Amino acid sequence: QVQLVESGGGLVQAGGSLRLSCAASGDTFTLYAMGWYRQAPGKEREFVAVISHRGGGTYYADSVKGRFTISRDNAKNTVTLQMNSLKSEDTAVYYCNANRRLQVTIPGASWGQGTQVTVSS
């Protein structure tokens, strides 16, 4: 099973940008579609974005469409979430996810430990 480690979270003012990264190890990276999910305090974990195995397809939650961009580097076994025009409602713990199948909004079994993103208004 693939292991995932996120990095890049932090505190940013509303309107600012952050870039999250997730490094994968332990299995063949291209076997997995990669996604980002987030969980705000008192709320359930929700889908943010997913990218297909080779990077040809990307899908986003309506709440982040046009502001966030997911990408992957299969040579480096990494997936990145570029977050622009951040809003206070983007505050959450962000989790990297790996799924053998490309299933928009449905996560796979492999999760990272999460990275905190806090947007101050």
mmCIF file of all heavy atoms in Angstrom, residues 16-52:
data_model
loop_
_atom_site.group_PDB
_atom_site.id
_atom_site.type_symbol
_atom_site.label_atom_id
_atom_site.label_comp_id
_atom_site.label_asym_id
_atom_site.label_seq_id
_atom_site.Cartn_x
_atom_site.Cartn_y
_atom_site.Cartn_z
ATOM 1 N N GLY A 16 -4.776 35.270 -0.301
ATOM 2 C CA GLY A 16 -3.428 34.789 -0.546
ATOM 3 C C GLY A 16 -3.394 33.406 -1.166
ATOM 4 O O GLY A 16 -4.434 32.848 -1.553
ATOM 5 N N SER A 17 -2.191 32.846 -1.253
ATOM 6 C CA SER A 17 -1.977 31.552 -1.899
ATOM 7 C C SER A 17 -1.137 30.641 -1.021
ATOM 8 O O SER A 17 -0.320 31.104 -0.217
ATOM 9 C CB SER A 17 -1.258 31.744 -3.240
ATOM 10 O OG SER A 17 -2.021 32.529 -4.129
ATOM 11 N N LEU A 18 -1.371 29.346 -1.199
ATOM 12 C CA LEU A 18 -0.550 28.307 -0.586
ATOM 13 C C LEU A 18 -0.406 27.173 -1.572
ATOM 14 O O LEU A 18 -1.280 26.954 -2.423
ATOM 15 C CB LEU A 18 -1.189 27.777 0.694
ATOM 16 C CG LEU A 18 -0.956 28.517 2.003
ATOM 17 C CD1 LEU A 18 -1.741 27.853 3.131
ATOM 18 C CD2 LEU A 18 0.520 28.594 2.347
ATOM 19 N N ARG A 19 0.666 26.435 -1.416
ATOM 20 C CA ARG A 19 0.917 25.284 -2.274
ATOM 21 C C ARG A 19 1.156 24.074 -1.391
ATOM 22 O O ARG A 19 2.105 24.056 -0.604
ATOM 23 C CB ARG A 19 2.132 25.544 -3.162
ATOM 24 C CG ARG A 19 2.423 24.506 -4.211
ATOM 25 C CD ARG A 19 3.648 24.945 -5.034
ATOM 26 N NE ARG A 19 3.988 24.020 -6.091
ATOM 27 C CZ ARG A 19 3.505 24.082 -7.317
ATOM 28 N NH1 ARG A 19 2.656 25.047 -7.641
ATOM 29 N NH2 ARG A 19 3.878 23.208 -8.234
ATOM 30 N N LEU A 20 0.301 23.071 -1.530
ATOM 31 C CA LEU A 20 0.445 21.834 -0.782
ATOM 32 C C LEU A 20 1.100 20.778 -1.667
ATOM 33 O O LEU A 20 0.808 20.703 -2.866
ATOM 34 C CB LEU A 20 -0.909 21.319 -0.319
ATOM 35 C CG LEU A 20 -1.779 22.277 0.507
ATOM 36 C CD1 LEU A 20 -3.057 21.561 0.949
ATOM 37 C CD2 LEU A 20 -1.018 22.824 1.690
ATOM 38 N N SER A 21 1.940 19.969 -1.052
ATOM 39 C CA SER A 21 2.565 18.866 -1.763
ATOM 40 C C SER A 21 2.328 17.564 -1.019
ATOM 41 O O SER A 21 2.177 17.559 0.206
ATOM 42 C CB SER A 21 4.069 19.109 -1.914
ATOM 43 O OG SER A 21 4.321 20.196 -2.768
ATOM 44 N N CYS A 22 2.314 16.489 -1.764
ATOM 45 C CA CYS A 22 2.161 15.157 -1.186
ATOM 46 C C CYS A 22 3.171 14.239 -1.865
ATOM 47 O O CYS A 22 3.168 14.129 -3.098
ATOM 48 C CB CYS A 22 0.743 14.665 -1.403
ATOM 49 S SG CYS A 22 0.441 12.958 -0.931
ATOM 50 N N ALA A 23 4.011 13.632 -1.069
ATOM 51 C CA ALA A 23 5.012 12.697 -1.578
ATOM 52 C C ALA A 23 4.548 11.269 -1.322
ATOM 53 O O ALA A 23 4.159 10.934 -0.187
ATOM 54 C CB ALA A 23 6.353 12.954 -0.918
ATOM 55 N N ALA A 24 4.609 10.450 -2.351
ATOM 56 C CA ALA A 24 4.170 9.061 -2.253
ATOM 57 C C ALA A 24 5.360 8.120 -2.306
ATOM 58 O O ALA A 24 6.349 8.390 -2.990
ATOM 59 C CB ALA A 24 3.202 8.745 -3.384
ATOM 60 N N SER A 25 5.238 7.003 -1.585
ATOM 61 C CA SER A 25 6.284 5.976 -1.593
ATOM 62 C C SER A 25 5.654 4.629 -1.298
ATOM 63 O O SER A 25 4.529 4.536 -0.813
ATOM 64 C CB SER A 25 7.368 6.305 -0.564
ATOM 65 O OG SER A 25 6.829 6.313 0.745
ATOM 66 N N GLY A 26 6.398 3.588 -1.610
ATOM 67 C CA GLY A 26 5.970 2.249 -1.234
ATOM 68 C C GLY A 26 5.227 1.470 -2.290
ATOM 69 O O GLY A 26 4.952 0.288 -2.098
ATOM 70 N N ASP A 27 4.885 2.121 -3.381
ATOM 71 C CA ASP A 27 4.184 1.417 -4.458
ATOM 72 C C ASP A 27 4.364 2.219 -5.740
ATOM 73 O O ASP A 27 4.842 3.354 -5.716
ATOM 74 C CB ASP A 27 2.701 1.261 -4.122
ATOM 75 C CG ASP A 27 2.047 0.125 -4.874
ATOM 76 O OD1 ASP A 27 2.682 -0.457 -5.783
ATOM 77 O OD2 ASP A 27 0.875 -0.196 -4.574
ATOM 78 N N THR A 28 3.948 1.653 -6.853
ATOM 79 C CA THR A 28 4.061 2.333 -8.152
ATOM 80 C C THR A 28 3.074 3.479 -8.212
ATOM 81 O O THR A 28 1.849 3.267 -8.148
ATOM 82 C CB THR A 28 3.808 1.350 -9.288
ATOM 83 O OG1 THR A 28 4.735 0.250 -9.179
ATOM 84 C CG2 THR A 28 3.972 2.029 -10.631
ATOM 85 N N PHE A 29 3.583 4.679 -8.339
ATOM 86 C CA PHE A 29 2.764 5.883 -8.221
ATOM 87 C C PHE A 29 1.671 5.945 -9.279
ATOM 88 O O PHE A 29 0.539 6.348 -8.995
ATOM 89 C CB PHE A 29 3.672 7.109 -8.304
ATOM 90 C CG PHE A 29 3.008 8.423 -8.003
ATOM 91 C CD1 PHE A 29 2.344 8.630 -6.801
ATOM 92 C CD2 PHE A 29 3.059 9.472 -8.911
ATOM 93 C CE1 PHE A 29 1.731 9.841 -6.505
ATOM 94 C CE2 PHE A 29 2.470 10.695 -8.637
ATOM 95 C CZ PHE A 29 1.797 10.883 -7.425
ATOM 96 N N THR A 30 1.979 5.519 -10.489
ATOM 97 C CA THR A 30 1.015 5.646 -11.580
ATOM 98 C C THR A 30 -0.128 4.628 -11.497
ATOM 99 O O THR A 30 -1.037 4.658 -12.325
ATOM 100 C CB THR A 30 1.714 5.529 -12.936
ATOM 101 O OG1 THR A 30 2.528 4.352 -12.947
ATOM 102 C CG2 THR A 30 2.593 6.745 -13.205
ATOM 103 N N LEU A 31 -0.099 3.761 -10.494
ATOM 104 C CA LEU A 31 -1.233 2.873 -10.259
ATOM 105 C C LEU A 31 -2.399 3.596 -9.586
ATOM 106 O O LEU A 31 -3.492 3.040 -9.475
ATOM 107 C CB LEU A 31 -0.820 1.697 -9.373
ATOM 108 C CG LEU A 31 0.091 0.651 -10.009
ATOM 109 C CD1 LEU A 31 0.483 -0.389 -8.967
ATOM 110 C CD2 LEU A 31 -0.573 -0.019 -11.198
ATOM 111 N N TYR A 32 -2.147 4.833 -9.154
ATOM 112 C CA TYR A 32 -3.119 5.549 -8.330
ATOM 113 C C TYR A 32 -3.566 6.850 -8.958
ATOM 114 O O TYR A 32 -2.752 7.649 -9.438
ATOM 115 C CB TYR A 32 -2.519 5.860 -6.953
ATOM 116 C CG TYR A 32 -2.157 4.637 -6.157
ATOM 117 C CD1 TYR A 32 -0.900 4.061 -6.268
ATOM 118 C CD2 TYR A 32 -3.080 4.052 -5.291
ATOM 119 C CE1 TYR A 32 -0.564 2.932 -5.543
ATOM 120 C CE2 TYR A 32 -2.762 2.931 -4.559
ATOM 121 C CZ TYR A 32 -1.491 2.372 -4.692
ATOM 122 O OH TYR A 32 -1.184 1.254 -3.969
ATOM 123 N N ALA A 33 -4.872 7.083 -8.912
ATOM 124 C CA ALA A 33 -5.391 8.428 -9.055
ATOM 125 C C ALA A 33 -5.166 9.115 -7.709
ATOM 126 O O ALA A 33 -5.288 8.481 -6.654
ATOM 127 C CB ALA A 33 -6.870 8.411 -9.398
ATOM 128 N N MET A 34 -4.832 10.398 -7.750
ATOM 129 C CA MET A 34 -4.481 11.106 -6.524
ATOM 130 C C MET A 34 -5.471 12.227 -6.247
ATOM 131 O O MET A 34 -5.870 12.967 -7.166
ATOM 132 C CB MET A 34 -3.075 11.683 -6.641
ATOM 133 C CG MET A 34 -1.983 10.631 -6.839
ATOM 134 S SD MET A 34 -1.895 9.462 -5.470
ATOM 135 C CE MET A 34 -1.470 10.563 -4.112
ATOM 136 N N GLY A 35 -5.829 12.359 -4.991
ATOM 137 C CA GLY A 35 -6.812 13.370 -4.650
ATOM 138 C C GLY A 35 -6.451 14.141 -3.398
ATOM 139 O O GLY A 35 -5.560 13.753 -2.634
ATOM 140 N N TRP A 36 -7.163 15.239 -3.220
ATOM 141 C CA TRP A 36 -7.072 16.030 -1.994
ATOM 142 C C TRP A 36 -8.479 16.134 -1.399
ATOM 143 O O TRP A 36 -9.452 16.374 -2.116
ATOM 144 C CB TRP A 36 -6.538 17.431 -2.278
ATOM 145 C CG TRP A 36 -5.085 17.464 -2.610
ATOM 146 C CD1 TRP A 36 -4.519 17.415 -3.855
ATOM 147 C CD2 TRP A 36 -3.994 17.529 -1.686
ATOM 148 N NE1 TRP A 36 -3.155 17.454 -3.765
ATOM 149 C CE2 TRP A 36 -2.799 17.533 -2.444
ATOM 150 C CE3 TRP A 36 -3.908 17.602 -0.303
ATOM 151 C CZ2 TRP A 36 -1.534 17.599 -1.849
ATOM 152 C CZ3 TRP A 36 -2.660 17.664 0.297
ATOM 153 C CH2 TRP A 36 -1.480 17.660 -0.473
ATOM 154 N N TYR A 37 -8.530 15.969 -0.105
ATOM 155 C CA TYR A 37 -9.755 16.138 0.659
ATOM 156 C C TYR A 37 -9.443 17.075 1.824
ATOM 157 O O TYR A 37 -8.274 17.292 2.142
ATOM 158 C CB TYR A 37 -10.248 14.778 1.188
ATOM 159 C CG TYR A 37 -10.763 13.867 0.096
ATOM 160 C CD1 TYR A 37 -9.891 13.244 -0.794
ATOM 161 C CD2 TYR A 37 -12.128 13.657 -0.056
ATOM 162 C CE1 TYR A 37 -10.378 12.431 -1.809
ATOM 163 C CE2 TYR A 37 -12.619 12.836 -1.066
ATOM 164 C CZ TYR A 37 -11.736 12.236 -1.931
ATOM 165 O OH TYR A 37 -12.215 11.441 -2.940
ATOM 166 N N ARG A 38 -10.492 17.610 2.430
ATOM 167 C CA ARG A 38 -10.263 18.492 3.572
ATOM 168 C C ARG A 38 -11.349 18.296 4.620
ATOM 169 O O ARG A 38 -12.449 17.857 4.306
ATOM 170 C CB ARG A 38 -10.219 19.954 3.137
ATOM 171 C CG ARG A 38 -11.528 20.502 2.605
ATOM 172 C CD ARG A 38 -11.321 21.910 2.041
ATOM 173 N NE ARG A 38 -12.574 22.499 1.555
ATOM 174 C CZ ARG A 38 -12.650 23.662 0.913
ATOM 175 N NH1 ARG A 38 -11.546 24.362 0.666
ATOM 176 N NH2 ARG A 38 -13.819 24.129 0.511
ATOM 177 N N GLN A 39 -10.997 18.629 5.844
ATOM 178 C CA GLN A 39 -11.955 18.520 6.941
ATOM 179 C C GLN A 39 -11.835 19.741 7.827
ATOM 180 O O GLN A 39 -10.779 19.984 8.426
ATOM 181 C CB GLN A 39 -11.724 17.252 7.758
ATOM 182 C CG GLN A 39 -12.784 17.005 8.801
ATOM 183 C CD GLN A 39 -12.725 15.603 9.371
ATOM 184 O OE1 GLN A 39 -11.718 14.901 9.268
ATOM 185 N NE2 GLN A 39 -13.828 15.154 9.960
ATOM 186 N N ALA A 40 -12.902 20.509 7.881
ATOM 187 C CA ALA A 40 -12.959 21.687 8.735
ATOM 188 C C ALA A 40 -13.480 21.276 10.113
ATOM 189 O O ALA A 40 -14.148 20.250 10.249
ATOM 190 C CB ALA A 40 -13.859 22.740 8.112
ATOM 191 N N PRO A 41 -13.211 22.072 11.124
ATOM 192 C CA PRO A 41 -13.674 21.735 12.486
ATOM 193 C C PRO A 41 -15.186 21.559 12.530
ATOM 194 O O PRO A 41 -15.947 22.399 12.028
ATOM 195 C CB PRO A 41 -13.238 22.950 13.302
ATOM 196 C CG PRO A 41 -12.072 23.504 12.571
ATOM 197 C CD PRO A 41 -12.372 23.275 11.115
ATOM 198 N N GLY A 42 -15.614 20.448 13.094
ATOM 199 C CA GLY A 42 -17.034 20.182 13.235
ATOM 200 C C GLY A 42 -17.733 19.730 11.978
ATOM 201 O O GLY A 42 -18.963 19.575 11.970
ATOM 202 N N LYS A 43 -16.980 19.511 10.900
ATOM 203 C CA LYS A 43 -17.583 19.092 9.631
ATOM 204 C C LYS A 43 -16.996 17.774 9.161
ATOM 205 O O LYS A 43 -15.942 17.353 9.621
ATOM 206 C CB LYS A 43 -17.368 20.172 8.567
ATOM 207 C CG LYS A 43 -18.055 21.482 8.870
ATOM 208 C CD LYS A 43 -17.942 22.440 7.704
ATOM 209 C CE LYS A 43 -18.692 23.726 7.960
ATOM 210 N NZ LYS A 43 -18.604 24.650 6.793
ATOM 211 N N GLU A 44 -17.689 17.140 8.237
ATOM 212 C CA GLU A 44 -17.195 15.903 7.672
ATOM 213 C C GLU A 44 -16.108 16.197 6.630
ATOM 214 O O GLU A 44 -16.045 17.280 6.055
ATOM 215 C CB GLU A 44 -18.345 15.126 7.021
ATOM 216 C CG GLU A 44 -19.384 14.631 8.016
ATOM 217 C CD GLU A 44 -20.417 13.736 7.365
ATOM 218 O OE1 GLU A 44 -20.397 13.590 6.135
ATOM 219 O OE2 GLU A 44 -21.250 13.178 8.119
ATOM 220 N N ARG A 45 -15.289 15.184 6.406
ATOM 221 C CA ARG A 45 -14.265 15.311 5.381
ATOM 222 C C ARG A 45 -14.949 15.450 4.023
ATOM 223 O O ARG A 45 -15.911 14.736 3.736
ATOM 224 C CB ARG A 45 -13.355 14.099 5.402
ATOM 225 C CG ARG A 45 -12.076 14.247 4.607
ATOM 226 C CD ARG A 45 -11.127 13.093 4.850
ATOM 227 N NE ARG A 45 -10.705 13.011 6.242
ATOM 228 C CZ ARG A 45 -9.762 12.178 6.666
ATOM 229 N NH1 ARG A 45 -9.158 11.367 5.827
ATOM 230 N NH2 ARG A 45 -9.443 12.140 7.949
ATOM 231 N N GLU A 46 -14.433 16.357 3.180
ATOM 232 C CA GLU A 46 -15.043 16.591 1.878
ATOM 233 C C GLU A 46 -14.012 16.562 0.759
ATOM 234 O O GLU A 46 -12.829 16.859 0.961
ATOM 235 C CB GLU A 46 -15.771 17.941 1.860
ATOM 236 C CG GLU A 46 -14.889 19.154 2.016
ATOM 237 C CD GLU A 46 -15.638 20.459 1.872
ATOM 238 O OE1 GLU A 46 -16.877 20.449 1.724
ATOM 239 O OE2 GLU A 46 -14.976 21.508 1.898
ATOM 240 N N PHE A 47 -14.494 16.232 -0.413
ATOM 241 C CA PHE A 47 -13.676 16.173 -1.618
ATOM 242 C C PHE A 47 -13.254 17.568 -2.041
ATOM 243 O O PHE A 47 -14.059 18.519 -1.982
ATOM 244 C CB PHE A 47 -14.483 15.502 -2.722
ATOM 245 C CG PHE A 47 -13.927 15.648 -4.095
ATOM 246 C CD1 PHE A 47 -12.823 14.907 -4.476
ATOM 247 C CD2 PHE A 47 -14.489 16.526 -5.006
ATOM 248 C CE1 PHE A 47 -12.300 15.036 -5.752
ATOM 249 C CE2 PHE A 47 -13.982 16.666 -6.279
ATOM 250 C CZ PHE A 47 -12.874 15.916 -6.651
ATOM 251 N N VAL A 48 -11.998 17.699 -2.497
ATOM 252 C CA VAL A 48 -11.498 18.966 -3.019
ATOM 253 C C VAL A 48 -11.148 18.827 -4.505
ATOM 254 O O VAL A 48 -11.644 19.585 -5.342
ATOM 255 C CB VAL A 48 -10.261 19.441 -2.230
ATOM 256 C CG1 VAL A 48 -9.671 20.688 -2.863
ATOM 257 C CG2 VAL A 48 -10.601 19.671 -0.762
ATOM 258 N N ALA A 49 -10.287 17.866 -4.829
ATOM 259 C CA ALA A 49 -9.833 17.718 -6.211
ATOM 260 C C ALA A 49 -9.243 16.323 -6.395
ATOM 261 O O ALA A 49 -8.791 15.698 -5.433
ATOM 262 C CB ALA A 49 -8.791 18.779 -6.557
ATOM 263 N N VAL A 50 -9.233 15.860 -7.647
ATOM 264 C CA VAL A 50 -8.619 14.577 -7.971
ATOM 265 C C VAL A 50 -7.988 14.687 -9.353
ATOM 266 O O VAL A 50 -8.458 15.444 -10.205
ATOM 267 C CB VAL A 50 -9.650 13.429 -7.910
ATOM 268 C CG1 VAL A 50 -10.690 13.560 -9.003
ATOM 269 C CG2 VAL A 50 -8.962 12.069 -7.972
ATOM 270 N N ILE A 51 -6.917 13.926 -9.547
ATOM 271 C CA ILE A 51 -6.224 13.898 -10.832
ATOM 272 C C ILE A 51 -6.031 12.445 -11.231
ATOM 273 O O ILE A 51 -5.738 11.584 -10.390
ATOM 274 C CB ILE A 51 -4.880 14.666 -10.756
ATOM 275 C CG1 ILE A 51 -4.229 14.776 -12.134
ATOM 276 C CG2 ILE A 51 -3.937 14.039 -9.741
ATOM 277 C CD1 ILE A 51 -3.095 15.787 -12.181
ATOM 278 N N SER A 52 -6.186 12.163 -12.505
ATOM 279 C CA SER A 52 -6.098 10.792 -12.996
ATOM 280 C C SER A 52 -4.668 10.275 -12.954
ATOM 281 O O SER A 52 -3.717 11.010 -12.687
ATOM 282 C CB SER A 52 -6.644 10.735 -14.426
ATOM 283 O OG SER A 52 -5.874 11.571 -15.280
#
